[in-house]
Every structure is written in structure tokens, then in C-alpha cells.
Amino acid sequence: MLRKLAAELFGTFVLVFGGCGSAVLAAGFPELGVGFIGVALACGLAVLTMIYAVGHISGGHFNPAVTIGLWAGGRFRAAEIIPYIISQVIGGILAAAVLYVIASGQAGFDATASDFAANGFGEHSPGGFSLQSAIVAEVVLTAIFLIVIIGATDKRAPVGFAPLAIGLALTVIHLISIPVTNTSINPARSTASAIFQGTWALEQLWLFWVMPIIGGIIGGVLYRLLLTEKE
């Protein structure tokens, strides 16, 4: 179990550091900024590489909504949910702390005045999308993500390609939802950014726990009921 939790902590660290780091440090950089596409690719590549690196140890969740969704889909033990989530949240916070130290080296940086890659809705949505839009996006996209994860790791799926499918799915999800909520679908990632943003992001953090978890459960249950091969 200790190795599993260490793998989850490390994988979540890299996912948050890669995704949020590209958003905070590189997305808006003058002339050479990576933009939405670069941030989406950074998130997808981070989860892809971490699943290959440590997924064989812990299963490569790196996300409380994925852990709960896999339990709902019959792929994970209930007794391990809480330890996994704690490790994921700690990994995300550590990544955000390192990112904060790096970003603070730039003159004029202020995490509170910026969004620090935090997730938001309404006036804090990158595209000005409403609470309703944020709820629908987070639930639907997390459900889709869980169906991809469970399907790609199904015994009937081609062996060895699951990380590619999962990483590419996360990239597509970011391309869709960065303008809506700055893309959460991961409560650990949202918590990490919100802590260092420190104001409105903490007030809106509830949505980015509740909706991804609901979406994860929906995705897990749908796959279990409709797509799992009966013995």
C-alpha cells in the first residue's frame, strides 16, 4: 500500500505541475506562449507518461474522481479510496507549492491577483460561462473520462495502449473545457490551485469536488451496467 500511495502522490504531483505549470508559466508568455492547445497537451502528456511510469504500481488514478469512479465501476476496493485521495491531494498541493516558488521569482507576480490556473465559473470562468455551464461540463466530461479509462483498461482492449487513450482523452477534454472552467475534472488539481490563489477559488472549490465526483460515479456505473462483458 505504501508503494501505491507514493505512486499516486508522485503521479498527481507531475500531473498538476505539468498542467498548471504550463498554464501559469507558459500559456500567456509573450510571443512564444503555448496557449490553450499547449496547456491541454501538457495535461494529456503528463497523465500519459505517469501512467506508463507508475500506473503498474497504483493503477495510475492521480485524481479523486477517477478513484471513486473506478470504485463505482467495480474496479477498485472501497477500503483504499480515502488513502488514495489523501495521497493525490498532497501530491497536488506539493506541486502547486513548487510552482508558486518558481512563479514568485518573476517580478510583480501575485497569485491572489492572478488566477494561478484555478478553476472557476461566472466572472472567474475564462470565457465567462455560467454556473450551469460549469456543472454540465464537469459532470459530462468526467463521466466520459471514466468510460475511456475503464474501457481502455478492459481485458478486451488492446494491451499496452491504455495510457495513450487516456492521455489523448484528457487532452480533448481540456480543449473543450478550458474556456468554460479552466478544466478541473480533478478535485486534487482544483484544490492545489485554489489554496495558492487563496480568495475566490476557495469559495468556488466546492463545485470542483462535487461535480467531478458525480461525473466519475456516473461514468463508472454506466460502463459497469452497459458495456461490461457478462461472465
Side-chain angles (χ1 to χ4, degrees), residues 121-138:
F121 54 86
E123 63 179 317
H124 301 297
S125 159
F129 287 86
S130 68
L131 171 61
Q132 176 180 313
S133 297
I135 290 172
V136 173
E138 291 294 323

Side-chain angles (χ1 to χ4, degrees), residues 72-93:
R75 294 286 195 88
F76 194 68
R77 295 175 59 237
E80 297 182 356
I81 291 176
I82 298 301
Y84 263 56
I85 290 176
I86 292 172
S87 295
Q88 292 157 358
V89 171
I90 292 173
I93 292 172

Side-chain angles (χ1 to χ4, degrees), residues 1-69:
M1 175 57 78
L2 183 59
R3 288 194 294 271
K4 290 181 180 180
L5 299 182
E8 284 298 302
L9 189 152
F10 177 67
T12 310
F13 178 98
V14 173
L15 173 58
V16 173
F17 190 62
C20 295
S22 64
V24 172
L25 303 176
F29 197 84
E31 297 181 10
L32 298 177
V34 298
F36 283 178
I37 295 176
V39 174
L41 284 170
C43 293
L45 290 172
V47 76
L48 184 158
T49 53
M50 285 303 98
I51 294 173
Y52 274 125
V54 299
H56 59 284
I57 300 171
S58 67
H61 301 185
F62 319 138
N63 180 340
V66 170
T67 296
I68 294 172

Side-chain angles (χ1 to χ4, degrees), residues 17 25 97-106:
F17 190 62
L25 303 176
V98 173
L99 177 58
Y100 181 84
V101 171
I102 295 172
S104 297
Q106 185 178 44

